[in-house]
């Protein structure tokens, strides 16, 4: 029952924090939702093969007959951490932003490693270890940050006048 209790706490904490973080006024909330969903997509695409090849298992999870992965990690905690990373680095210079990723991928890796060692929520197999988790998280954070940056650039080119600019011109 300890594992289910930890999973329930992580779920509740993740859901409450997600609502707060996605609705923050810092930056554009559309971006935060887009980042959340891009990270979910990227994580799903990476997690699927990793689980199919049995490098990582999630023995204790919600809806085990429907999902091989832990939906709390995949669809709440990892996307949430990516949104927070993007909010944190929103106005940062590129180099500092790139280096700041370790403030987010590091704790997430430590959490998963602790869960792997002390619970039945995560199991590593076939040589998978925290270094792989750390690398994958770091790379996906950078990929999502680059994607949202590209989307912002394309949005400015396609739609040079944003809604806030148009709203300020109406008198």
């Amino acid at each position: 029952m300890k594992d289910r209790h930890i999973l329930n706490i992580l779920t509740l904490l993740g859901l409450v924090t997600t609502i707060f973080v996605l609705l923050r006024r810092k930056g554009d909330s559309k971006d935060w939702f887009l980042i959340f969903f891009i990270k979910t997509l990227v994580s799903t695409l990476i997690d699927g093969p990793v689980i199919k090849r049995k490098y990582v298992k999630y023995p204790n999870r919600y809806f085990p007959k429907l999902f091989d992965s832990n939906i709390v990690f995949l669809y709440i905690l990892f996307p949430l951490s990516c949104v927070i990373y993007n909010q944190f680095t929103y106005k940062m210079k590129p180099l500092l932003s790139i280096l700041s990723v370790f403030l987010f991928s590091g704790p997430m890796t430590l959490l998963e490693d602790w869960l792997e060692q002390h619970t039945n929520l995560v199991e590593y197999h076939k040589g998978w270890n925290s270094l792989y988790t750390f690398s994958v998280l770091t790379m996906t954070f950078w990929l999502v940050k680059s994607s949202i940056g590209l989307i912002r650039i394309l949005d400015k080119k396609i739609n040079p006048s944003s809604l806030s600019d148009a709203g300020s011109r109406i008198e």
Side-chain angles (χ1 to χ4, degrees), residues 112-135:
E112 186 171 286
D113 188 55
W114 185 88
L115 291 171
E116 197 270 335
Q117 291 177 19
H118 296 94
T119 70
N120 199 26
L121 294 175
V122 182
E123 289 179 3
Y124 296 154
H125 297 283
K126 297 183 177 181
W128 190 274
N129 58 42
S130 340
L131 185 59
Y132 287 116
T133 299
F134 179 74
S135 301

Side-chain angles (χ1 to χ4, degrees), residues 30-171:
K30 291 180 297 188
D31 288 359
W32 309 145
F33 279 95
L34 193 54
I35 289 164
F36 191 90
F37 292 121
I38 291 171
K39 175 63 173 169
T40 300
L41 174 66
V42 169
S43 294
T44 301
L45 292 174
I46 291 171
D47 203 42
V50 168
I51 289 174
K52 280 252 190 257
R53 290 185 176 92
K54 299 185 184 342
Y55 288 110
V56 177
K57 286 185 183 179
Y58 300 100
N60 194 345
R61 61 191 182 276
Y62 296 130
F63 311 113
K65 293 181 181 179
L66 296 174
F67 298 98
D68 290 332
S69 64
N70 189 315
I71 59 175
V72 175
F73 299 155
L74 192 63
Y75 299 124
I76 299 173
L77 298 179
F78 293 155
L80 173 63
S81 62
C82 193
V83 171
I84 295 170
Y85 163 66
N86 277 273
Q87 288 178 342
F88 181 74
T89 60
Y90 186 60
K91 299 284 184 182
M92 277 188 189
K93 294 183 179 183
L95 181 60
L96 190 55
S97 175
I98 290 169
L99 295 175
S100 295
V101 75
F102 304 117
L103 296 173
F104 296 88
S105 58
M108 288 299 293
T109 301
L110 292 174
L111 173 64
E112 186 171 286
D113 188 55
W114 185 88
L115 291 171
E116 197 270 335
Q117 291 177 19
H118 296 94
T119 70
N120 199 26
L121 294 175
V122 182
E123 289 179 3
Y124 296 154
H125 297 283
K126 297 183 177 181
W128 190 274
N129 58 42
S130 340
L131 185 59
Y132 287 116
T133 299
F134 179 74
S135 301
V136 168
L137 283 173
T138 300
M139 294 306 239
T140 59
F141 282 176
W142 285 335
L143 177 65
V144 173
K145 181 133 180 90
S146 301
S147 298
I148 196 67
L150 180 62
I151 290 169
R152 286 175 181 144
I153 290 168
L154 291 174
D155 186 46
K156 284 182 183 175
K157 287 187 186 261
I158 293 169
N159 185 18
S161 62
S162 68
L163 291 176
S164 61
D165 292 341
S168 63
R169 287 186 295 223
I170 298 173
E171 293 179 38

